Amino acid sequence: MSIYNGPALNRSMLHRTAIRTLAVPILALVAGCGSDATLPPAPPAAAISQPARVTISPDAAVLLVGETIAASARVADRNGNTIASTVQFRAEGAVTVSASGGTVTATQVGSGLVIVQLGSLADTLVVTVTQPAPPPSGPPLPQVLQVTPAGAFVQVRIVGATPSPAVIAAFTTAAARVNGLLRSTGGAYPVPIDVPAGTCHATQPAINEGVPGLLITASVGPLDGPGSTLGEAGPCLVRSDATAIPAIGIMAFDEADMNLMASSGILDGVILHEMLHVLGIGTMWGPAGRGFVADPQGADPLFTGPQGTAAYGVFGALNAMLGVPVENTGGTGTRGGHWRESVFRGELMTGWVGGGMEMSRVTVSALADMGYDADLTKADPYTLASLLGGQISASLLREDAINERVIQPIGRIDRSGRRSSFAFGPG
């Protein structure tokens, strides 16, 4: 029983109240029986498209100082469908980018990057900025492109004209491989270096900084055309202690030969080969360096470093205890500075390109002999070619010779940065 204390209700008001009460279930029934009842339910939140890739357009450009280009970004889901998302643009190096990302401006000669990012997704526009003409007072300052991360023992800087993406990738890959071999500095002390441009090589810019490990300047430009000398490499200043670990090194290549090697698939191996020359393989193992090869130009030169010799013995070679055979044929850039091709065919540090160009345990062990804290487990799988295929003729070998020039050190440098002549013997 309920008690109502409000105004009196007449019959008409009661009738309208009853109709409104019945309307709710009737409408619900109509909604359930209509044609809309067959529509699928709304998709769950997980089915909504999520960003899977962000791309920037264009992805490469060459500009003069002061020029601009328009850049745009596209965000797509995993099916390639474009979805609306807000991205961030930022610029590094020789370019700037507007807040909206629409306008990229070249500000100075050099290389620049424009990065578009959405969370962990990113893409990059690479910009090369040049001058309309050299300044009248002299040639432009060298461009510098660092291809190694900060803190790496071996630092590689590309100077001069920016090479092709394939060449940059080869330098980057080789430097990463070498740094992956080295567990520490191996006792190499940091040195303050102050040298003017051209001290070590015509392509070398002025250097005034502390070098904790090894600084390599690399250049790619016109030299003597395709098919002749592909380039030159080696250490320039080495430390004054017994290890004589290089502090500065040089790599310089003919752009025509680099393009040919890239197209033939041997570029990565050749760049790594030349980088190991800068570390000292073939350039610092003779009497003027560590003294592990007593007579590099002799009839039967041998590398006698204890770790390299032991690694050679593991392969089961005859007379392995005498030393590792060093090349005794070829020109001045080959003889005495490589492993012997007739024994090590296909190994990275012979004087000829062929096979897989594997970095064997002998090469990594030779680095250890020369003072580097080298991780021997990082060597490539390799089988001594001479045990499988015997000797091969010198005429056949020379068809794939690496035509290179080896750079010899010009001096030593101590902890305080004082330089001295490069005398025979360590120390």
Side-chain angles (χ1 to χ4, degrees):
M1 175 179 175
S2 62
I3 299 175
Y4 177 71
N5 294 323
L9 298 175
N10 58 35
R11 183 179 299 273
S12 176
M13 292 174 63
L14 289 173
H15 178 71
R16 288 195 299 271
T17 301
I19 291 175
R20 285 196 298 268
T21 304
L22 292 172
V24 173
I26 291 173
L27 288 174
L29 180 62
V30 171
C33 297
S35 61
D36 288 344
T38 61
L39 292 177
I48 299 174
S49 296
Q50 297 294 325
R53 183 181 182 188
V54 59
T55 55
I56 190 169
S57 180
D59 60 3
V62 178
L63 302 177
L64 299 176
V65 173
E67 282 191 323
T68 63
I69 58 169
S72 61
R74 176 177 178 267
V75 180
D77 62 18
R78 64 183 180 180
N79 296 318
N81 301 313
T82 300
I83 57 178
S85 295
T86 300
V87 299
Q88 293 182 330
F89 289 84
R90 60 185 175 89
E92 296 181 2
V95 295
T96 61
V97 63
S98 61
S100 64
T103 303
V104 178
T105 303
T107 58
Q108 62 186 13
V109 172
S111 298
L113 299 176
V114 177
I115 299 99
V116 60
Q117 191 162 1
L118 175 62
S120 61
L121 305 176
D123 195 18
T124 303
L125 159 62
V126 180
V127 183
T128 301
V129 184
T130 62
Q131 285 280 19
S137 58
L141 293 175
Q143 305 171 40
V144 177
L145 180 62
Q146 182 89 13
V147 300
T148 45
F153 178 79
V154 177
Q155 296 284 324
V156 179
R157 295 176 188 169
I158 299 176
V159 298
T162 302
S164 68
V167 174
I168 295 175
F171 278 114
T172 304
T173 300
R177 178 71 192 280
V178 170
N179 281 312
L181 292 174
L182 306 177
R183 292 173 295 203
S184 71
T185 63
Y189 52 79
V191 290
I193 294 180
D194 185 4
V195 295
T199 299
C200 297
H201 192 270
T203 63
Q204 171 243 309
I207 300 173
N208 185 6
E209 62 184 274
V211 176
L214 169 59
L215 172 59
I216 300 175
T217 63
S219 63
V220 179
L223 188 58
D224 55 11
S228 187
T229 303
L230 68 87
E232 49 195 351
C236 172
L237 292 175
V238 303
R239 288 169 173 80
S240 298
D241 65 352
T243 64
I245 289 178
I248 302 179
I250 299 296
M251 299 173 71
F253 295 94
D254 190 319
E255 61 187 0
D257 288 308
M258 297 293 273
N259 294 333
L260 286 174
M261 288 188 291
S263 64
S264 61
I266 62 172
L267 180 61
D268 287 353
V270 171
I271 294 295
L272 181 58
H273 173 105
E274 300 299 331
M275 199 169 289
L276 291 189
H277 277 323
V278 180
L279 267 70
I281 297 291
T283 55
M284 289 295 298
W285 64 20
R290 295 303 310 277
F292 290 127
V293 181
D295 185 7
Q297 300 302 314
D300 186 24
L302 299 171
F303 177 89
T304 58
Q307 296 190 64
T309 300
Y312 179 53
V314 170
F315 289 120
L318 298 176
N319 300 322
M321 73 291 298
L322 299 178
V324 185
V326 171
E327 188 56 66
N328 58 356
T329 65
T332 56
T334 302
R335 188 184 187 113
H338 300 85
W339 301 132
R340 197 169 300 175
E341 174 73 5
S342 59
V343 176
F344 286 94
R345 184 177 14 165
E347 211 272 351
L348 177 68
M349 293 311 297
T350 71
W352 284 265
V353 176
M357 298 189 75
E358 296 95 349
M359 186 192 301
S360 72
R361 195 177 180 94
V362 175
T363 294
V364 181
S365 297
L367 287 172
D369 282 325
M370 299 176 70
Y372 294 98
D373 184 12
D375 185 351
L376 304 185
T377 66
K378 297 299 179 65
D380 293 326
Y382 174 79
T383 300
L384 197 63
S386 62
L387 299 181
L388 296 177
Q391 304 291 311
I392 51 180
S393 69
S395 61
L396 179 60
L397 296 176
R398 287 190 176 88
E399 291 182 358
D400 298 314
I402 301 176
N403 297 316
E404 59 188 324
R405 287 196 292 261
V406 175
I407 296 175
Q408 297 294 336
I410 65 170
R412 299 180 182 274
I413 188 165
D414 65 15
R415 295 175 184 272
S416 64
R418 289 192 300 267
R419 290 164 52 191
S420 59
S421 62
F422 187 71
F424 274 38

